[in-house]
Amino acid sequence: MSLRYAHLFDSTVRTEYERALNLAKSHTGPMPTGRTQLPITDITDGGWKDAPAIKSRLAGGYCLRAPAQGSCPYANICEHCPSFHTDATHLGVLAAQRVDAHDLAEDAEKRGWIDEAKRHRTLVSRLDALIAQSETA
């Protein structure tokens, strides 16, 4: 019986979510199309790590956020997840991510973004553990 009610609840939540989303879309109107993204060099003078932004090094790239946006609650979430697994084939990526996280921590400290620096230092510690685990596996 619980499974039946859970299924009904899921469909109710979805219906209400879609209704709210459609209502929000009707209030905002059409979204602009054809917006040109700024080239990263316009923002960074050539290097993303030097940008005056809150930065995160991701395995497949990087993220830049305006300081007014604050830290991303999802930044580097996968590396801290207990389901995240890696091995020696990824040591190069992990090592490069560690170097960048260390640099970003120092940059954040210089800018006075203490919480952001702490987030990067926590990632460095986690990457150290993942690298050590991968090297011994």
Side-chain angles (χ1 to χ4, degrees), residues 57-86:
R57 167 64 153 85
L58 310 170
Y62 53 88
C63 175
L64 300 175
R65 293 171 58 89
Q69 290 176 286
S71 296
C72 177
Y74 304 108
N76 306 111
I77 197 167
C78 290
E79 289 89 344
H80 299 283
C81 176
S83 297
F84 180 77
H85 301 283
T86 189

Side-chain angles (χ1 to χ4, degrees), residues 23-41:
L23 184 62
K25 285 179 185 177
S26 70
H27 285 1
T28 60
M31 297 303 289
T33 59
R35 291 179 56 184
T36 305
Q37 295 286 328
L38 283 174
I40 194 68
T41 53

